Amino acid sequence: MSTVENASGDARVRTRARRQLSSDGYWWWNGRRWVAAITEDGLWRWDGSRWSATVSLEGKRPEDLATTLSMLAEQCYAEAGAVLADRAEEWQPEPDMERLAGETRDVAERLRRLDDNLQSYDASGNRGGLLGRRAAPLDDRRHVEDEKDSLTRQHRQLAVRLGRAAPQPSIKDADDRLVAARLLEERAATLTAALAQVDEAERMRADAAVAAQKQLQGAENARLQALDRARKAVQRAEAAHAQAVADARQRMRAVLTPGAGELKGGVGPLRLHATILETPGGRLPAAGATAFLDSAPALWKAQRNMLHDLLLLESTEAEAFRGALADRSGDRFLLIGGRTGTVLWPCPSGSEEAARRFVTLLREHGKEAEAATSERDRDAAKAESDLDRVIADRSSIKDAEAELARVEADPDLLGAIGEAKHQLERARADTPELNDARRKVLELARRVAAPPEPMRTEG
């Protein structure tokens, strides 16, 4: 059979099927009886060969599908309410319902009058009729249109209330719309409840993820706090070691530089302290110092080696000594020798006795200072040894660093973090409850969007 013949045959079948539809399209003759050509919920219409959706359902998200069903249900309630309000005498409502029906009719009547005014306005070409004016301003028309919108919303609300509250049976035209409204509302409610289950499952998953995230944060914070304590312990150990080294150095410096000490005595410009001898030419150590008081010739003869370098200096004392030596004078000079230098002081006339006492004091104290120097040397050696020991002793730092390394590799802390991460991954994954709820929603949406089984001819 050719393609043309097939197409011609299909066209005859469709034509015959259409002839089996009632003129209003609500009924179809199946060969034995008339059956409804529109589903009770009003979503599908039979054209004689297949079902067609009266509204767009395919491809809608379940949320949008539930909204669409709710809006269609409300529209059916509104249509039923409008019929019930106009034909209240046929179903004889109770007093409360009668008042609601009357209020709905009143608003509908006001809407019709407004429509008539607007139509009159449009038909007159903006030359009169609206609000009884000859040339109504544009603002008047806008006011009427705003009022119409308000009345339209009010009428719909009243009609929906009436439709929802109306008993069944009432009148067939309204009952058909009420059956459709309640079927649509039931399906919307079922789908909404299934969506709520999805939302609840997602909320529970989100709560579990938040709890797992908090657990992970707590585990990470615990490790960070332990690391922070260990690092601070290292810092404290390093600071304590640095302070101990600084203290040891200070002790060593104090031993090596004891200061002048107590004043023991003096003569002329010379001052003897516990550790040093102050002279016009500088300081000499008191330890090991020796002194001689005599004339220039006698000193030159006995202490030539000590005086030889002094006389090379162009100092007042050296010049006086050279003059006295050349003159063979009997003037007295005080010669002091120490480890780091010598001092020559011309003894003024009348100061000889004081100079002798000073020589005795210096010689006696020199021995004491010598012993003190030996003790100080021992103290200095000990301070130096202590300093070297303190510098080398980093045991507290090493212990703190070892503890830090232990904390960084602590299996308990790291294990808690790893377990918390694993818990978070599981919490973020889709749960069986969520998957079941989603499958239920998709199945409900599929059923709503799926057409009924095709109708068959009988006989």
Side-chain angles (χ1 to χ4, degrees), residues 118 121-122 125-128 130-131 133-147:
L118 286 172
Y121 174 83
D122 292 337
N126 195 21
R127 288 190 298 274
L130 184 63
L131 302 179
R133 298 186 181 184
R134 184 170 184 77
L138 183 59
D139 286 345
D140 287 344
R141 181 182 178 88
R142 288 175 179 168
H143 174 74
V144 173
E145 289 176 343
D146 289 343
E147 185 178 359

Side-chain angles (χ1 to χ4, degrees), residues 268-322:
L270 305 176
R271 295 292 182 271
L272 177 62
H273 294 266
T275 60
I276 63 168
L277 173 65
E278 290 186 351
T279 73
R283 288 183 168 188
L284 297 177
T290 184
F292 306 95
L293 180 65
D294 214 333
S295 63
L299 289 174
W300 179 251
K301 181 178 180 180
Q303 306 295 333
R304 184 180 298 238
N305 291 336
M306 293 177 60
L307 291 166
H308 190 272
D309 292 337
L310 281 175
L311 295 181
L312 295 177
L313 303 177
E314 295 182 358
S315 64
T316 304
E317 293 80 5
E319 181 62 28
F321 188 86
R322 283 194 295 268

Side-chain angles (χ1 to χ4, degrees), residues 2 69 110 122 166 214 216 251 265 311 342 374 407:
S2 67
L69 294 176
R110 291 169 62 189
D122 292 337
K214 289 181 178 178
L216 174 58
R251 287 193 297 271
L311 295 181
T342 56
S374 298
V407 171

Side-chain angles (χ1 to χ4, degrees), residues 47-303:
D47 67 357
S49 60
R50 63 186 181 87
W51 290 102
S52 299
T54 57
V55 292
S56 177
L57 300 176
E58 188 176 358
K60 284 184 178 292
R61 296 183 310 128
E63 296 86 345
D64 297 335
L65 191 57
T67 300
T68 299
L69 294 176
S70 296
M71 293 175 63
L72 290 173
E74 185 173 288
Q75 179 62 31
C76 289
Y77 278 125
E79 291 172 359
V83 172
L84 291 170
D86 288 341
R87 299 165 59 182
E89 70 281 356
E90 298 181 32
W91 58 286
Q92 298 180 348
E94 296 292 333
D96 289 344
M97 297 293 292
E98 172 61 33
R99 283 192 292 273
L100 181 57
E103 189 177 353
T104 306
R105 286 194 303 274
D106 291 343
V107 175
E109 180 60 28
R110 291 169 62 189
L111 268 174
R112 281 192 288 271
R113 287 199 298 270
L114 278 178
D115 280 337
D116 291 343
N117 280 336
L118 286 172
Q119 290 172 5
S120 174
Y121 174 83
D122 292 337
S124 64
N126 195 21
R127 288 190 298 274
L130 184 63
L131 302 179
R133 298 186 181 184
R134 184 170 184 77
L138 183 59
D139 286 345
D140 287 344
R141 181 182 178 88
R142 288 175 179 168
H143 174 74
V144 173
E145 289 176 343
D146 289 343
E147 185 178 359
K148 179 183 176 181
D149 291 341
S150 177
L151 287 174
T152 300
R153 290 191 297 271
Q154 184 180 357
H155 180 263
R156 182 181 179 86
Q157 292 169 356
L158 291 169
V160 169
R161 284 177 54 197
L162 183 58
R164 286 186 183 280
Q168 279 188 276
S170 56
I171 54 178
K172 186 178 187 310
D173 290 343
D175 285 345
D176 288 343
R177 303 312 298 153
L178 291 178
V179 168
R182 285 160 186 162
L183 284 172
L184 291 168
E185 194 169 53
E186 179 182 350
R187 292 177 183 176
T190 301
L191 192 53
T192 299
L195 287 168
Q197 291 179 352
V198 173
D199 292 340
E200 177 62 16
E202 288 181 339
R203 184 194 64 76
M204 293 177 64
R205 181 184 64 170
D207 290 346
V210 169
Q213 182 66 53
K214 289 181 178 178
Q215 182 179 356
L216 174 58
Q217 188 66 46
E220 290 176 339
N221 286 341
R223 183 171 185 267
L224 289 175
Q225 290 170 3
L227 287 171
D228 183 61
R229 288 193 296 269
R231 292 190 181 104
K232 287 180 177 178
V234 172
Q235 293 172 357
R236 288 194 299 270
E238 290 175 340
H241 180 263
Q243 185 61 50
V245 170
D247 292 344
R249 286 174 175 158
Q250 182 61 32
R251 287 193 297 271
M252 184 174 176
R253 282 193 291 267
V255 170
L256 294 175
T257 55
E262 180 185 0
L263 178 64
K264 300 296 183 179
V267 61
L270 305 176
R271 295 292 182 271
L272 177 62
H273 294 266
T275 60
I276 63 168
L277 173 65
E278 290 186 351
T279 73
R283 288 183 168 188
L284 297 177
T290 184
F292 306 95
L293 180 65
D294 214 333
S295 63
L299 289 174
W300 179 251
K301 181 178 180 180
Q303 306 295 333

Side-chain angles (χ1 to χ4, degrees), residues 320-386:
F321 188 86
R322 283 194 295 268
L325 182 60
D327 295 341
R328 319 308 284 177
S329 169
D331 293 341
R332 303 295 180 177
F333 288 85
L334 179 59
L335 177 64
I336 301 173
R339 295 175 180 176
T340 60
T342 56
V343 175
L344 183 64
W345 176 62
C347 181
S349 178
S351 299
E352 293 84 351
E353 187 58 31
R356 289 190 187 95
R357 288 194 301 270
F358 185 76
V359 168
T360 301
L361 175 63
L362 182 59
R363 288 175 178 174
E364 292 175 351
H365 182 68
K367 296 175 183 179
E368 296 176 4
E370 188 73 31
T373 298
S374 298
E375 183 178 355
R376 190 166 58 251
D377 288 343
R378 289 191 298 271
D379 291 344
K382 183 178 182 301
E384 185 177 7
S385 175
D386 290 345

